[in-house]
Amino acid sequence: MDNDFLTGGAAQNCAYEDNTQQSNMSQAGEIITPIGTKADGESFFQDISQIPHFLVCGFSGAGKTSFVQTVTTYIATHYPPEEVRFIIYDSKNVDYTVFNAMPHLIIPVITDDRKAAGAISWLSKELKKRLKLLTESSAKDIVTYNKQFAASCNEKLPHMFVILDDFSSVQLDNETAASLMNVLK
């Protein structure tokens, strides 16, 4: 599979060999990505489309950011922007700036706390809109809704991934905190 991706400020064509496990697992609507290795050294793939929250934690220098960057890059190179969209908050303004050229971003990588608060408010509104669409279409999830889309020409919904790197440093007002809690429910 060939895809263009940004490396060091310049677009680069990346070729990926299909992994047997990934190819066998992938079904319509699933977002399959490597999340580790097994004891035998084989890559371990997981459908993360059904995981509402993915907390990556550890001590400084453990590779948390590298892991998230790897998963993000893998998803961006294996799924088109019509299927997957990202919002990325980078508190340090150094770890995710390379992703600004990624067409999957809803908005450029966020480095400002006020913009992060605005993105959270927008996410809360988007969540309510999506829940209403699911209710009206009697779909239980985004995969079911998008399968109905193919038949009825409704709006197809991309999966949305929100990356909040070192989010504990953000100061939230009560309204934004309430919006965030709404998104996390």
Side-chain angles (χ1 to χ4, degrees), residues 7-63:
T7 303
Q12 176 181 342
N13 194 4
C14 299
Y16 287 91
E17 301 212 7
D18 289 335
N19 182 295
T20 306
Q21 181 187 6
Q22 192 264 349
S23 298
N24 290 339
M25 288 178 60
S26 187
Q27 298 176 5
E30 291 183 337
I31 306 298
I32 307 296
T33 188
I35 61 168
T37 55
K38 297 179 184 179
D40 63 3
E42 182 181 346
S43 295
F44 177 70
F45 287 78
Q46 179 69 43
D47 173 15
I48 62 171
S49 64
Q50 299 297 316
I51 301 173
H53 307 100
F54 202 132
L55 178 64
V56 179
C57 55
F59 57 89
S60 294

Side-chain angles (χ1 to χ4, degrees), residues 33-34 65-75 99:
T33 188
T65 299
S66 295
F67 170 74
V68 173
Q69 289 173 337
T70 300
V71 169
T72 303
T73 302
Y74 184 90
I75 293 170
F99 290 102

Side-chain angles (χ1 to χ4, degrees), residues 1-138:
M1 178 182 289
D2 290 340
N3 285 291
D4 288 329
F5 194 71
L6 187 77
T7 303
Q12 176 181 342
N13 194 4
C14 299
Y16 287 91
E17 301 212 7
D18 289 335
N19 182 295
T20 306
Q21 181 187 6
Q22 192 264 349
S23 298
N24 290 339
M25 288 178 60
S26 187
Q27 298 176 5
E30 291 183 337
I31 306 298
I32 307 296
T33 188
I35 61 168
T37 55
K38 297 179 184 179
D40 63 3
E42 182 181 346
S43 295
F44 177 70
F45 287 78
Q46 179 69 43
D47 173 15
I48 62 171
S49 64
Q50 299 297 316
I51 301 173
H53 307 100
F54 202 132
L55 178 64
V56 179
C57 55
F59 57 89
S60 294
K64 300 176 301 290
T65 299
S66 295
F67 170 74
V68 173
Q69 289 173 337
T70 300
V71 169
T72 303
T73 302
Y74 184 90
I75 293 170
T77 56
H78 285 79
Y79 299 92
E82 298 78 34
E83 289 184 35
V84 176
R85 302 302 303 261
F86 288 93
I87 293 177
I88 301 174
Y89 170 73
D90 181 4
S91 64
K92 298 176 200 119
N93 196 16
V94 294
D95 294 325
Y96 294 91
T97 54
V98 70
F99 290 102
N100 271 322
M102 185 171 68
H104 298 72
L105 286 179
I106 294 172
I107 58 174
V109 173
I110 301 166
T111 57
D112 178 77
D113 289 357
R114 287 175 290 154
K115 288 183 181 178
I120 291 168
S121 296
W122 178 85
L123 277 170
S124 180
K125 292 174 189 166
E126 179 68 12
L127 174 68
K128 290 175 186 174
K129 173 188 148 193
R130 286 173 172 234
L131 288 174
K132 182 178 178 186
L133 288 172
L134 292 176
T135 301
E136 290 172 352
S137 67
S138 299

